[in-house]
Amino acid sequence: MTNILNPRGKIMTDIVQLLADESDYLLGHQCSGIPKESLHLPGPDYVDRVVAIKDRKPAVLRSLQSLYDNGRLAGTGYLSLLPVDQGVEHSGGASFATNPIYFDPENIVKLALEGGCNAVASTLGVLSSVARRYAHKIPFIVKINHNELLTYPNKFDQTLFASVDQAFDMGAVAVGATVFYGSEPSRRQIQEVSEAFEHAHNLGMATVLWAYLRNPAFKQDGIDYHVAADLTGQANHLAATINADIIKQKMAENNGGYTAIKFGKTNARVYSELTSEHPVDLVRYQVANCYMGRVGMINSGGASGHDDLHQAVRTAVINKRAGGMGLICGRKSFQKPMNEGIELLNAIQDVYLDQNVTIA
């Protein structure tokens, strides 16, 4: 990987080189269906400009500002988060066997610190086990519900593993939760998470929602519409409705989920005017459903593979150009030696620091 120095002396990744043949396609595109002028974009003044007019208590504003003021992206309005809760759902072995040091929660927090992340998001057990040493050094986001795959047969459900009060007592600045929109128990999850988010706001904490889709019917004719712009966009809209401050969403890879499944309601203009096949346009529609950016949207980094650095930078470029607020990247960073994980996290952050990567 080639690096260059920016005027402030920070190492900046050569994004054009990493994008290779896609560089012009991704960096030169301009959105027309939903223009950037319609969005409430991330920036150094995001809390003052966007969040402060909401009904949030001053302590919530302080908690959010602490997220934006930490790590290499401090002061930019963008977020680089490290999430490590995969041990619950995917199993500890599946998550950490390739790099056993991360069975020890302290190394998870060290990766977030040394990787320049704004915050670390993990389970009650992980974060509470080292809270007295690290809660004042990096913002904690406690994930309070999980799916777990030891129950057989598996079902698409999220169970509360922790309480908002436990997160507050350990000094966390935010709580995170997942709703499996589209799954049979999703309405119960919505109610549970909505009540938890209300309590978190009352205590002065911010809220982060993993707004994921789960339903076998969302796969049609070999296409996985769990990552369709229209369906994930609606999941974002529902997440914003229960007062999530930040929404985590998988990056849109296709569109037309409503029309393929032939269920629910949509509008032809979603596909003919507001979006196109371009990945930046697809993610722009996800951002639009987050109240045009009044709720920040971060995309997930995806599963670890053989091309992690390129894929992570590509995802960050698409997210930023679409008007997103950052990336939350876990397996791509912790399922490799720590120095390589730090390099990958820094490369993601460099996209948001690079002023040449503009809003489309």
Side-chain angles (χ1 to χ4, degrees):
M1 179 178 66
T2 302
N3 297 309
I4 56 176
L5 289 173
N6 77 356
R8 292 181 294 173
K10 293 181 182 294
I11 297 294
M12 297 293 290
T13 304
D14 191 334
I15 295 165
V16 172
Q17 183 186 44
L18 272 176
L19 293 178
D21 294 342
E22 281 194 302
S23 61
D24 290 340
Y25 177 66
L26 294 178
L27 294 173
H29 178 73
Q30 293 300 316
C31 296
S32 58
I34 301 174
K36 62 184 178 182
E37 291 78 13
S38 302
L39 303 178
H40 303 275
L41 294 168
D45 62 341
Y46 185 80
V47 172
D48 284 337
R49 174 168 44 88
V50 179
V51 185
I53 67 173
K54 299 181 180 181
D55 67 348
R56 306 296 191 265
K57 293 185 175 182
V60 177
L61 304 184
R62 182 182 61 206
S63 293
L64 277 170
Q65 193 65 56
S66 71
L67 287 175
Y68 295 118
D69 285 347
N70 190 70
R72 290 184 72 230
L73 297 184
T76 66
Y78 288 104
L79 297 172
S80 169
L81 305 180
L82 176 71
V84 187
D85 62 336
Q86 288 88 345
V88 175
E89 181 170 0
H90 298 282
S91 88
S95 300
F96 306 129
T98 57
N99 206 359
I101 66 168
Y102 291 112
F103 276 111
D104 184 343
E106 185 170 18
N107 287 319
I108 292 172
V109 181
K110 284 182 176 179
L111 175 61
L113 272 169
E114 296 180 25
C117 294
N118 299 71
V120 57
S122 195
T123 67
L124 172 70
V126 164
L127 296 177
S128 67
S129 69
V130 293
R132 291 188 182 276
R133 177 171 291 181
Y134 291 105
H136 59 294
K137 296 179 181 179
I138 184 171
F140 280 9
I141 302 172
V142 178
K143 184 74 162 41
I144 61 173
N145 70 356
H146 305 281
N147 188 22
E148 54 83 23
L149 301 187
L150 198 57
T151 299
Y152 184 82
N154 180 41
K155 56 183 179 179
F156 299 126
D157 201 0
Q158 289 282 326
T159 303
L160 290 170
F161 273 55
S163 71
V164 172
D165 289 325
Q166 287 173 302
F168 178 77
D169 288 342
M170 80 165 72
V173 303
V175 296
T178 298
V179 172
F180 280 158
Y181 292 104
S183 68
E184 185 176 348
S186 64
R187 294 193 179 186
R188 192 208 77 245
Q189 296 167 21
I190 291 169
Q191 182 177 1
E192 288 177 350
V193 173
S194 179
E195 291 173 355
F197 279 9
E198 180 188 19
H199 187 38
H201 283 150
N202 285 335
L203 291 175
M205 290 188 289
T207 58
V208 184
L209 189 70
W210 278 242
Y212 283 173
L213 300 174
R214 285 292 189 281
N215 194 308
F218 292 172
K219 294 183 179 181
Q220 295 285 334
D221 301 322
I223 300 176
D224 188 357
Y225 291 104
H226 287 93
V227 288
D230 54 352
L231 296 183
T232 54
Q234 180 60 18
N236 287 356
H237 197 77
L238 296 175
T241 301
I242 60 173
N243 268 352
D245 294 309
I246 298 165
I247 294 170
K248 176 189 176 186
Q249 184 56 265
K250 294 183 178 181
M251 177 163 285
E253 298 177 11
N254 55 55
N255 209 352
Y258 273 115
T259 56
I261 297 165
K262 298 180 175 61
F263 180 78
K265 296 183 179 181
T266 185
N267 188 293
R269 285 174 291 185
V270 170
Y271 315 102
S272 63
E273 298 178 19
L274 301 185
T275 64
S276 74
E277 294 182 355
H278 197 285
V280 175
D281 284 340
L282 296 178
V283 177
R284 173 65 57 85
Y285 188 71
Q286 292 181 320
V287 174
N289 276 278
C290 296
Y291 294 169
M292 286 294 193
R294 290 187 186 273
V295 180
M297 189 196 74
I298 54 178
N299 284 127
S300 53
S304 181
H306 69 283
D307 194 24
D308 285 343
L309 184 61
H310 167 257
Q311 290 299 325
V313 167
R314 181 183 188 274
T315 303
V317 166
I318 295 169
N319 172 272
K320 182 181 181 183
R321 300 214 68 224
M325 190 166 277
L327 222 60
I328 181 165
C329 185
R331 282 170 288 175
K332 286 184 186 297
S333 58
F334 70 76
Q335 289 186 333
K336 51 177 55 70
M338 186 175 286
N339 64 320
E340 294 181 20
I342 291 170
E343 180 185 29
L344 184 138
L345 291 170
N346 288 168
I348 289 170
Q349 295 151 11
D350 288 345
V351 171
Y352 296 96
L353 292 170
D354 191 340
Q355 296 181 357
N356 292 316
V357 182
T358 58
I359 309 300

